Amino acid sequence: DLKSSQNWKLIDLRDTCSELPQILKQFNSISMPFPSLDYTSFDLSEKQKILLVCSKGIRSLFVAKMLRELGLENVFSLKGGI
């Protein structure tokens, strides 16, 4: 349920110069541009839901798949991007 923003961590995979839309600023968000993404920085024991966003939804889908393969379960990609 995206309405409860405290249960979600939003990870923005876009370039650092991109600004989040106002509606997404309520979430606990961090900027982690795709080219510098470090998969080892994710806590695989974390139960918090993670929403990955990028400009078109392609990179976030790829990263979500990789994190699931590493054992992280609550990872989601924003379809279509922002």
Side-chain angles (χ1 to χ4, degrees), residues 9-20 28-43 46 48 50-55 59-64 66-67 70 72 75 82:
K9 178 185 289 184
L10 185 140
I11 299 178
D12 187 355
L13 300 170
R14 300 173 301 150
D15 295 332
T16 55
C17 61
S18 301
E19 188 173 331
L20 281 175
N28 174 18
S29 63
I30 59 171
S31 176
M32 197 178 291
F34 181 72
S36 61
L37 184 66
D38 179 10
Y39 291 102
T40 62
S41 66
F42 290 90
D43 181 3
E46 191 170 332
Q48 186 176 30
I50 297 174
L51 177 62
L52 300 163
V53 299
C54 66
S55 58
R59 289 177 287 181
S60 61
L61 187 62
F62 173 77
V63 173
M66 295 301 296
L67 291 174
L70 289 172
L72 209 56
V75 181
I82 54 174

